[in-house]
């Protein structure tokens, strides 16, 4: 496969789901945190509503931002995957909601966790090698 096409594909796979996650889910969670609305948030793992909200906010804002930039990409994608597994398992199967979208996010983030960020990222930048964390190729 053409190396440029491969890196563009990895970049697009990082960009599209991460922007959607930030805009449609992360922004709502951030506004809930700043408004102090932690009481009604679901607590699927028994950590408490506030901790669950903060964990989901982290996974739906900071992790997608790191994935877009390509910084600690595999770790951030793994955290986003765990968040989506919890969303599918608890919120969507227990609550009876549709779970197609979380499964789609899970598939994208799992692919990113396996493939890495590619060369068009901070992880893949040649100038960072030897000093900064670098994704293996």
């Amino acid at each position: 496969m053409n190396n440029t096409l491969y890196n563009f594909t990895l970049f697009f796979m990082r960009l599209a789901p991460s922007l959607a996650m930030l805009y449609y889910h992360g922004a709502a969670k951030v506004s809930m945190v700043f408004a102090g609305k932690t009481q009604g948030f679901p607590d699927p793992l028994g950590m408490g509503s506030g901790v669950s909200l903060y964990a989901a906010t982290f996974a739906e804002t900071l992790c997608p931002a790191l994935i877009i930039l390509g910084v600690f990409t595999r770790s951030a994608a793994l955290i986003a995957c765990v968040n989506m597994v919890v969303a599918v398992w608890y919120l969507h199967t227990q609550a009876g909601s549709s779970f197609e979208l979380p499964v789609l996010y899970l598939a994208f983030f799992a692919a990113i966790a396996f493939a890495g960020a590619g060369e068009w990222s901070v992880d893949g930048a040649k100038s960072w090698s030897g000093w900064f964390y670098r994704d293996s190729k």
Side-chain angles (χ1 to χ4, degrees):
M1 178 187 278
N2 182 342
N3 198 30
T4 302
L5 180 61
Y6 177 73
N7 284 307
F8 174 77
T9 303
L10 289 177
F11 175 71
F12 184 77
M13 282 181 55
R14 290 188 349 250
L15 186 66
S18 297
L19 283 176
M21 177 66 74
L22 276 168
Y23 183 76
Y24 292 109
H25 303 282
K29 303 272 187 324
V30 168
S31 67
M32 288 174 68
V33 167
F34 283 119
K37 297 181 181 179
T38 60
Q39 291 303 319
F41 194 77
D43 182 20
L45 302 177
M47 302 184 301
S49 292
V51 174
S52 294
L53 175 61
Y54 296 134
T57 303
F58 175 81
E60 295 179 9
T61 56
L62 184 61
C63 289
L66 291 173
I67 291 169
I68 289 169
L69 294 173
V71 180
F72 302 112
T73 308
R74 290 184 171 170
S75 301
L78 186 60
I79 292 169
C81 283
V82 170
N83 186 48
M84 289 298 100
V85 166
V86 171
V88 169
W89 170 71
Y90 181 80
L91 300 177
H92 295 280
T93 58
Q94 301 292 327
S97 301
S98 173
F99 58 88
E100 289 89 358
L101 187 59
V103 168
L104 188 61
Y105 281 127
L106 175 61
F108 267 105
F109 290 133
I112 293 166
F114 285 118
E119 291 180 10
W120 295 2
S121 66
V122 173
D123 285 347
K126 304 278 190 248
S127 62
W128 291 91
S129 63
W131 179 78
F132 193 70
Y133 168 81
R134 183 173 169 176
D135 238 350
S136 61
K137 294 181 184 178

